[in-house]
Amino acid sequence: MNGATVLHAGWLVAVVVGVTRNRRAYLAEAQARAVAAEQRMEEEARRRATEERLRIARS
């Protein structure tokens, strides 16, 4: 192998590693957002249930 081939192979490896890391970070962030959204929905459901119980109790 000559120097140019080694340089190109190294560059290709660096690009693949970079893309893989970016994708993993993106997927981790997407998962974190999904978990946060689910928690917000559960909190909202609990809040609405509490408000409904209070409304019924006042009736």
Side-chain angles (χ1 to χ4, degrees), residues 12-47:
L12 181 61
V13 168
V15 168
V16 169
V17 168
V19 167
T20 301
R21 285 184 183 166
N22 285 342
R23 179 158 174 75
R24 285 183 185 160
Y26 172 79
L27 291 174
E29 179 63 28
Q31 183 177 9
R33 283 193 308 267
V35 167
E38 183 177 349
Q39 289 173 345
R40 283 191 304 272
M41 288 174 53
E42 289 171 357
E43 289 171 5
E44 177 67 16
R46 282 192 296 273
R47 184 187 64 76

